[in-house]
Amino acid sequence: LSQATSPPDPEYAAEKIRQLTERIAAMSRCALEEELKQVFASTPHARNREIVIGYYGWADGQRHTLAEIGARYGMTRERARQICAKLVRRPSPSTIPAPVMDRTLAFLDERLPRAVPTLERELREAGLTAIGMRLESVAVAAELLGRRVPFRLVHCASGHLAVRPSQVDVPPAVAEAAKKEIYYHGANTVTFVAEQLLQRFPRGVDLSLVAGTLQLLEGFRWLDRPSGWFCLDSVAKHGLPRAIDKALSVAGRLRVSDLAAAVSRNRRIWRSPPPESALAEFCRQRPGFRIEG
């Protein structure tokens, strides 16, 4: 388009442009791993193609180490690294058309924060990956294409969360605050934990991120999900457990409404006592108690 004169063979040039537009259109309909193969593994050397695909996990969704790749093809890890580096090197990667990658990153950005297994399952269900690419592989591929990665992976207790870059410090803080509150009170709400973090995060924290973090903690269970009440069996030592023990050690048997009245008298424990539904669920899931009716 920038040429001052027509090419010597306009028909040939037009056909090449037509082929290019067809390939780009086809790319937007393929899975992410297929797009990445077309961009970075379009080499006539089958071995080199397999090496780069295996290293970045575009064959089975799992990244493999350079040592593994080297052993598989009878070469040193350094030689495997050189082959990969040569194939993925681009002078201006951000200018490469990658519609599936762009759509994938937008898809993930709309769903943050969320547990990593959940996001990876949703990627497969949306047809963006056919092999179940891991989020860490998606992030590496996005960087190769010069795209901004909208998420960071944060380890929390028994799993990983995908969060926005500005939220990486929130999950550890949530875990610390929740364990402290549950240790002294026995149960609490997602909203209360979020409020405890306002001094550290004045702009507030996303309640879905708080809830997602809590569900990865050991012993987590919902007591009343609509109102946000939860418990951590691994650290619940004081507060609600002892209050229930004291009431039942005297009465032996109580209506839930009477138990709620007894528990709510201790204002040192509660700003707002748990609802009857949360109390009943706490007793139902706790050994040594039985709910009738």
Side-chain angles (χ1 to χ4, degrees):
L1 292 177
S2 62
Q3 290 178 332
T5 59
S6 296
D9 189 349
E11 187 175 351
Y12 173 81
E15 178 58 28
K16 288 298 180 184
I17 292 173
R18 190 176 301 109
Q19 292 175 8
L20 176 61
T21 57
E22 288 175 355
R23 285 191 63 186
I24 293 174
M27 284 173 64
S28 66
R29 295 189 296 270
C30 69
L32 178 59
E33 57 271 13
E34 293 304 318
E35 177 179 83
L36 293 169
K37 291 176 188 177
Q38 290 183 41
V39 174
F40 295 113
S42 55
T43 170
H45 303 288
R47 187 200 64 172
N48 291 358
R49 173 184 170 87
E50 292 172 3
I51 286 173
V52 73
I53 289 174
Y55 176 62
Y56 287 105
W58 301 333
D60 56 7
Q62 301 281 346
R63 291 196 66 187
H64 299 274
T65 66
L66 290 170
E68 288 178 288
I69 299 295
R72 185 183 304 170
Y73 294 97
M75 62 178 67
T76 65
R77 64 184 305 278
E78 175 59 20
R79 180 56 186 150
R81 186 198 67 77
Q82 292 172 356
I83 291 172
C84 292
K86 181 178 179 180
L87 286 177
V88 301
R89 189 183 300 118
R90 296 292 186 278
S92 301
S94 60
T95 63
I96 298 173
V100 185
M101 174 59 79
D102 294 335
R103 197 161 68 247
T104 298
L105 295 178
F107 180 90
L108 295 171
D109 191 36
E110 291 174 357
R111 286 159 177 77
L112 296 174
R114 198 160 296 189
V116 168
T118 301
L119 270 180
E120 290 176 342
R121 185 187 71 248
E122 291 175 347
L123 279 179
R124 292 194 301 272
E125 292 173 350
L128 292 169
T129 174
I131 60 174
M133 275 188 67
R134 305 286 295 274
L135 286 186
E136 57 191 46
S137 296
V138 174
V140 171
E143 291 173 351
L144 291 177
L145 286 166
R147 266 58 170 182
R148 182 187 70 85
V149 181
F151 63 88
R152 297 291 184 273
L153 304 182
V154 179
H155 177 71
C156 184
S158 61
H160 287 80
L161 286 168
V163 302
R164 302 187 188 283
S166 61
Q167 297 174 322
V168 292
D169 294 329
V170 175
V174 169
E176 181 182 353
K179 289 178 180 179
K180 180 179 179 181
E181 290 300 323
I182 298 301
Y183 180 82
Y184 288 109
H185 299 122
N188 225 309
T189 67
V190 172
T191 302
F192 185 84
V193 173
E195 291 173 352
Q196 295 298 101
L197 300 176
L198 284 176
Q199 186 172 357
R200 184 170 176 181
F201 305 99
R203 295 184 178 181
V205 295
D206 190 326
L207 288 180
S208 63
L209 176 55
V210 176
T213 302
L214 293 174
Q215 292 178 75
L216 294 177
L217 300 181
E218 181 183 357
F220 172 88
R221 57 187 174 96
W222 287 112
L223 300 178
D224 186 61
R225 190 160 191 167
S227 60
W229 280 90
F230 72 95
C231 177
L232 298 174
D233 288 336
S234 57
V235 296
K237 305 296 182 184
H238 305 285
L240 184 59
R242 291 198 174 185
I244 293 176
D245 285 340
K246 288 180 181 178
L248 288 177
S249 67
V250 175
R253 179 184 185 94
L254 281 173
R255 291 182 179 276
V256 174
S257 58
D258 295 330
L259 181 60
V263 168
S264 64
R265 290 194 185 107
N266 193 339
R267 292 299 178 181
R268 291 180 303 172
I269 300 178
W270 311 112
R271 180 182 63 178
S272 176
E276 293 181 13
S277 57
L279 280 176
E281 188 62 26
F282 186 92
C283 294
R284 181 177 291 110
Q285 298 182 16
R286 192 172 174 83
F289 298 108
R290 185 175 69 251
I291 301 292
E292 295 178 354

